[in-house]
Amino acid sequence: MMDRTAVGGWPSLTTALSDRTSPVRAFVTVRFGRWQDLQARYRESVGPLVVAGGRANPATIGSAFDWMVRFMTHPRPDLRLALRGARTPAVRVAVRELALMLGYREDPGTPRFEGPVSDTEIDHELLARACWSLALLTDVYRVGLVPGSPLAELGSSVTADRLLELAPLNAIDELRELRASAQSTLMPALAARRGAWALGPTFEGSRLMKADADLVAAGLLLELKTGLGSKRPDGTRRSSLEAATIMQLLGYVLLDFSDEFAIEAVGVYNARYAHLATWPLPDLLTELAGGPVDLEKERAGFRDLLAG
């Protein structure tokens, strides 16, 4: 998820892919647009809804869950994304106070490490409140301080405690359920992946087009989702693999021009359904392209498109 700020004349990857007239979207869909069978298999593989939606803002829940997973994979993940959303000295001081409460010292944490690493020992309610605050700050960095943001109501009298108080009780409960879902399904799968990990990774191509993924775990590029999915005629929910998600994963793969992250598989985890789906990258590209793919050549073509 990225903001709409242009880099080198290009909007963010997410914005470009949502624009049906964008040459970036055309590049992806013309080469890798055969995803109907993949979507059908995904729908068949997902079980029932596990964590229902509540009254909390769903977008903020999604962003807060991203932060939750970062803390579940490293005790001190990099906070700089949220710090970029601290637009005033008072908010920056409050965020640093919050970091101290979460066990940070002077450093803002690490975005890359050899994983897996043990889960955080922070109190669950404190972590949920902190992730909600970090999500609000991240949104400020990505789209600005929008009307109605709880951060706008704090004014200059902001402290770490007041940041923590922004999380509504229903959001804390929902995040607690999503964490439990991830603890039982996602984390055991990730624990088997030993090697180079990156939280919120940016790519070589991010210098030409803003893009940061959720997680790379020893070659697995993973997208985290908290969507409720669509309703069936009987009113029950079902999860689906949206074309936007597929294009987003492909965009990240293409932006890794020099294969810095050695991506060998991609996946989607929907916490509300406790469902993890992964696909070996070569097999996925072959299916979506309808034939063999020279990934190095495709990345070079994508780079030329963005640079030109």
Side-chain angles (χ1 to χ4, degrees):
M1 298 180 290
M2 288 299 303
D3 65 8
R4 296 175 177 268
T5 304
V7 175
W10 290 101
S12 69
L13 174 65
T14 304
T15 301
L17 291 174
S18 67
D19 181 359
R20 293 184 179 274
T21 67
S22 169
V24 171
R25 178 177 172 127
F27 188 101
V28 173
T29 55
V30 168
R31 288 163 172 77
F32 306 106
R34 303 184 180 190
W35 49 60
Q36 288 77 13
D37 289 345
L38 177 69
Q39 290 174 309
R41 294 198 305 273
Y42 179 89
R43 285 194 298 270
E44 293 170 359
S45 69
V46 183
L49 184 70
V50 174
V51 180
R55 290 176 295 167
N57 184 298
T60 309
I61 282 285
S63 185
F65 178 70
D66 289 350
W67 279 106
M68 181 78 73
V69 170
R70 295 186 191 194
F71 279 97
M72 293 172 70
T73 54
H74 194 283
R76 288 180 298 280
D78 189 4
L79 296 181
R80 275 171 283 205
L81 186 62
L83 280 167
R84 294 188 186 108
R87 298 292 179 88
T88 68
V91 176
R92 286 192 289 273
V93 169
V95 174
R96 291 191 178 95
E97 291 175 354
L98 177 59
L100 291 173
M101 297 171 67
L102 298 175
Y104 289 76
R105 298 177 182 85
E106 294 298 323
D107 66 286
T110 180
R112 302 188 185 189
F113 55 94
E114 287 296 308
V117 177
S118 59
D119 192 354
T120 180
E121 296 182 356
I122 301 170
D123 173 78
H124 285 199
E125 181 173 339
L126 171 60
L127 182 60
R129 289 183 177 278
C131 288
W132 188 264
S133 299
L134 294 171
L136 293 173
L137 290 162
T138 302
D139 289 343
V140 173
Y141 165 65
R142 287 174 168 157
V143 300
L145 188 62
V146 298
S149 169
L151 290 172
E153 301 174 5
L154 294 179
S156 59
S157 59
V158 57
T159 63
D161 286 336
R162 293 202 66 190
L163 286 176
L164 292 173
E165 291 169 0
L166 293 177
L169 292 178
N170 53 8
I172 295 171
D173 291 340
E174 201 168 330
L175 287 170
R176 184 181 290 115
E177 291 187 69
L178 291 171
R179 174 179 179 149
S181 167
Q183 196 72 57
S184 63
T185 53
L186 175 62
M187 301 314 295
L190 294 183
R193 305 196 64 87
R194 300 187 177 277
W197 285 44
L199 304 178
T202 57
F203 307 93
E204 183 179 348
S206 299
R207 291 193 287 263
L208 300 173
M209 164 173 280
K210 291 189 84 171
D212 66 293
D214 290 331
L215 168 68
V216 174
L220 171 64
L221 171 66
L222 186 63
E223 185 72 9
L224 304 172
K225 297 296 182 184
T226 55
L228 281 167
S230 58
K231 279 189 177 181
R232 297 186 178 94
D234 63 2
T236 60
R237 295 276 184 175
R238 70 173 184 180
S239 179
S240 59
L241 182 61
E242 298 178 353
T245 300
I246 300 172
M247 289 191 290
Q248 191 172 11
L249 286 167
L250 292 170
Y252 294 146
V253 169
L254 291 170
L255 287 170
D256 190 17
F257 296 151
S258 58
D259 199 28
E260 175 186 3
F261 293 97
I263 300 168
E264 61 183 20
V266 300
V268 176
Y269 175 71
N270 191 323
R272 293 196 184 277
Y273 291 81
H275 182 76
L276 173 65
T278 62
W279 305 275
L281 182 59
D283 296 346
L284 179 66
L285 293 179
T286 298
E287 177 180 356
L288 299 184
V293 173
D294 184 336
L295 181 54
E296 183 178 355
K297 180 179 178 181
E298 295 298 338
R299 281 171 167 162
F302 197 56
R303 179 181 57 217
D304 290 344
L305 170 67
L306 297 182

